[in-house]
Amino acid sequence: MSHPDDSLADKGAALETEMAEMKARLSRVAQDAAAAQVLARGADRDVADLTREIGEFRTHNTTLHNTTREDLRDVREDLRETRQDLKNLREATTNGFVEMRGKLDAAAAGQAQIAAMLTTLLQRDDQNDDTN
């Protein structure tokens, strides 16, 4: 028969072994918890950094869009002015051609009149030469 003290001693030894295992597990759990806290703090810092960087990106992006919008507004205004300048130049060129055409027509008419007068004079000279 087994001795009740032996059974109690075996149970006590088993409890001590189990207690030592539980302490080891508890120690590992505590270490894991501490590591998890370190990781969580790192993640919090990373999230804070990302939030700051996204805010800076938004600010920069908004500034870039506003600058681009202003540049496009300036380009449109320059384009309007250039179109107006081209229209004015076209009108001035057309008016200049019309004016030159009028002067050339007047000069041609004057030359035709001179040619007609010369022809008349030559014909008179020829008639006078024939009568003499």
Side-chain angles (χ1 to χ4, degrees), residues 37-50:
Q37 287 177 340
V38 168
L39 290 174
R41 281 193 291 272
D44 284 347
R45 274 193 305 273
D46 290 347
V47 168
D49 289 346
L50 283 174

Side-chain angles (χ1 to χ4, degrees), residues 47-61:
V47 168
D49 289 346
L50 283 174
T51 301
R52 180 186 46 77
E53 288 176 12
I54 288 171
E56 290 172 359
F57 173 77
R58 282 182 179 165
T59 300
H60 180 72
N61 194 36

Side-chain angles (χ1 to χ4, degrees), residues 8-131:
L8 192 56
D10 288 342
K11 287 181 183 179
L15 280 174
E16 284 179 6
T17 302
E18 194 175 323
M19 184 63 110
E21 288 174 2
M22 293 295 267
K23 283 182 181 179
R25 279 187 195 163
L26 184 60
S27 176
R28 283 192 303 270
V29 167
Q31 289 173 353
D32 288 348
Q37 287 177 340
V38 168
L39 290 174
R41 281 193 291 272
D44 284 347
R45 274 193 305 273
D46 290 347
V47 168
D49 289 346
L50 283 174
T51 301
R52 180 186 46 77
E53 288 176 12
I54 288 171
E56 290 172 359
F57 173 77
R58 282 182 179 165
T59 300
H60 180 72
N61 194 36
T62 300
T63 301
L64 180 64
H65 281 299
N66 289 338
T67 302
T68 302
R69 191 176 297 117
E70 290 172 13
D71 288 348
L72 284 174
R73 188 179 315 122
D74 292 344
V75 167
R76 284 186 191 122
E77 183 60 33
D78 290 347
L79 184 59
R80 278 189 207 102
E81 290 173 4
T82 301
R83 284 180 178 163
Q84 186 60 47
D85 290 346
L86 285 173
K87 182 180 176 185
N88 293 342
L89 181 62
R90 189 179 308 123
E91 288 175 8
T93 302
T94 300
N95 291 341
F97 280 128
V98 167
E99 183 181 339
M100 286 303 295
R101 182 65 190 188
K103 288 180 181 181
L104 289 172
D105 287 346
Q111 288 176 352
Q113 206 173 19
I114 291 170
M117 290 170 32
L118 286 172
T119 301
T120 302
L121 286 175
L122 288 172
Q123 287 173 352
R124 279 189 201 161
D125 269 351
D126 284 345
Q127 285 178 356
N128 283 343
D129 284 343
D130 287 342
T131 55

